[in-house]
Amino acid sequence: MCPPRFLAAILASLAVVSLGPASAETPRDHVRRAEAGTASPPASLAEVDWLVGYWIGDMPEGPVEQVFLPADKGQLPSFVRATNPDGIIFYEISNIIAQDGTLFIRLRHFTPGLSGWEDQSGPINRRLLAIEGDTLYFDRVSFRRTGPDAYTVYFLNMDGDAERETLVIPFRRVAAFTFSD
């Protein structure tokens, strides 16, 4: 008969072997969804000022440009132009806003003819859920700084309440902005 400690060690070894290697990270692992009743963490626009500049990203359909202007009056504005070989896919105007001691993203999308995608009730609002290391987690979208001149956006695409795919858009800085008074 095996001693109990030896038997426990054998069973533990078998459990580890049967589990196999740890599962690889997926894009969905980089996105969070807001849960009712949870508070946003304290944050300021100083924590996102590294985004200021002109960026080029790679979407599945083609290149995307994003420009973040310097923060002013509690807002860090952004403009996006997404294209493919046939032309412009969409525009997006957004602001990262400092409000109530935390951050929010407010945004709207537009067709190439500047018709709004969203209804007229107002912009999409995404509140900050966490800042961990070099990653900003907003509701359904995160910004992960991957270098001094690079970041990746992870966006959870939804169809109503059902999750679809998570888009991964790597960006590289084309130019930094400096402004003087």
Side-chain angles (χ1 to χ4, degrees):
M1 182 161 161
C2 291
R5 284 186 307 181
F6 184 67
L7 185 57
I10 290 173
L11 291 174
S13 298
L14 288 174
V16 169
V17 170
S18 67
L19 291 176
S23 63
E25 266 188 3
T26 67
R28 177 61 179 89
D29 295 330
H30 296 281
V31 182
R32 298 183 183 171
R33 291 180 68 182
E35 296 179 19
T38 59
S40 293
S44 71
L45 289 174
E47 294 170 88
V48 296
D49 66 354
W50 58 269
L51 285 167
V52 172
Y54 175 44
W55 304 83
I56 298 288
D58 299 309
M59 289 188 9
E61 298 86 0
V64 59
E65 299 166 277
Q66 185 158 25
V67 175
F68 282 95
L69 296 176
D72 189 22
K73 309 220 180 350
Q75 298 189 18
L76 184 99
S78 168
F79 175 78
V80 171
R81 176 173 55 190
T83 62
N84 67 19
D86 296 327
I88 294 171
I89 302 170
F90 69 87
Y91 295 109
E92 176 186 290
I93 297 174
S94 67
N95 282 321
I96 299 179
I97 297 171
Q99 182 178 327
D100 300 326
T102 191
L103 300 175
F104 295 84
I105 295 177
R106 291 197 180 128
L107 63 102
R108 291 193 68 99
H109 295 95
F110 300 89
T111 67
L114 297 181
S115 296
W117 281 6
E118 291 84 22
D119 66 29
Q120 298 302 311
S121 63
I124 295 171
N125 292 295
R126 302 194 188 285
R127 67 182 175 94
L128 182 67
L129 303 177
I131 298 176
E132 295 176 2
D134 287 328
T135 305
L136 304 160
Y137 293 96
F138 290 88
D139 183 26
R140 295 180 21 208
V141 65
S142 60
F143 296 79
R144 183 178 199 183
R145 190 174 192 180
T146 57
D149 293 313
Y151 72 94
T152 300
V153 169
Y154 296 89
F155 173 72
L156 179 57
N157 200 358
M158 303 283 292
D159 184 5
D161 289 334
E163 292 185 9
R164 292 179 49 200
E165 74 278 357
T166 300
L167 299 177
V168 179
I169 308 167
F171 282 88
R172 65 194 175 287
R173 187 186 307 272
V174 176
F177 296 138
T178 56
F179 292 88
S180 59
D181 293 348

